[in-house]
Amino acid sequence: MGVHSTIVGEVVTAVSDALARLLDHFVTFPTDGQIAKVKQKFFLLGDMPNTIGVIDCTHVHIQAPRQREWEYVNRKGRHSINVQLVGDADLAITNCVVRWPGSVHDARIFRESRLLTEFQTNRPDGVILADSAYPLLPWVMTPFPTANTPTQMRYNNAHGRTRSMPNNTGLYCATQYRCPSQSPPL
């Protein structure tokens, strides 16, 4: 397009910085007045009561950075940034962490997130559904590793149905914003 890559890089950096400053204004957790509606929408998705969000990480592919390149190599041998997203039943992102190289495990990103710190001191009125990479907490529900009873099987099925739709938020974002010189996302 006739624009030097240095200029493109500067513009991308400036736009990214501007968006990051606006993040807390647009990406917010449901307020107390919105919680009941959020829970109802999640329940309609998969019969999982008291759900206020789903959490997962997704890898966004990048070109190999010049510094500390090895930190960005994920478990599949690709360069990425591991992005933690919390979504609601309408596919809106209600919390995100975009700062960790691809080699960092989902559990560490969660363990060092402001979300964990905030919810340890101000427990939410509901639960967040997570996969087995996350810890089981009073407000983070994970599936049973092995469902041995009909009740555990029903729980795992409801957990999976409820998580599946909003969880696609991260996959959608990763496919839309991948590095053009890379093959399709994970």
Side-chain angles (χ1 to χ4, degrees), residues 135-186:
L136 178 63
L137 299 169
W139 51 272
V140 176
M141 303 301 294
T142 60
F144 284 96
T146 305
N148 294 317
T149 68
T151 302
Q152 290 174 348
M153 285 185 243
R154 280 194 307 277
Y155 168 83
N156 277 3
N157 287 337
H159 186 280
R161 280 191 312 272
T162 307
R163 271 190 78 240
S164 66
M165 180 67 163
N167 194 38
N168 290 332
T169 304
L171 298 176
Y172 175 77
C173 287
T175 60
Q176 297 305 304
Y177 303 105
R178 69 176 186 251
C179 178
S181 66
Q182 301 284 322
S183 56
L186 300 173

Side-chain angles (χ1 to χ4, degrees), residues 31-52:
T31 63
D32 291 341
Q34 298 167 323
I35 291 286
K37 186 178 273 189
V38 170
K39 288 179 182 181
Q40 179 185 20
K41 287 181 178 183
F42 271 116
F43 187 77
L44 293 173
L45 278 178
D47 297 327
M48 193 71 173
N50 208 30
T51 303
I52 59 171

Side-chain angles (χ1 to χ4, degrees), residues 81-160:
I81 295 173
N82 197 357
V83 178
Q84 178 179 276
L85 299 170
V86 179
D88 69 12
D90 293 325
L91 304 181
I93 297 171
T94 58
N95 182 270
C96 66
V97 178
V98 185
R99 62 173 233 164
W100 292 95
S103 65
V104 178
H105 191 274
D106 298 3
R108 178 174 176 205
I109 295 171
F110 177 67
R111 191 173 56 244
E112 297 193 25
S113 70
R114 286 189 311 185
L115 180 75
L116 176 64
T117 305
E118 173 67 22
F119 283 176
Q120 283 177 324
T121 55
N122 300 310
R123 187 168 167 194
D125 179 23
V127 297
I128 297 174
L129 302 183
D131 64 25
S132 59
Y134 291 84
L136 178 63
L137 299 169
W139 51 272
V140 176
M141 303 301 294
T142 60
F144 284 96
T146 305
N148 294 317
T149 68
T151 302
Q152 290 174 348
M153 285 185 243
R154 280 194 307 277
Y155 168 83
N156 277 3
N157 287 337
H159 186 280

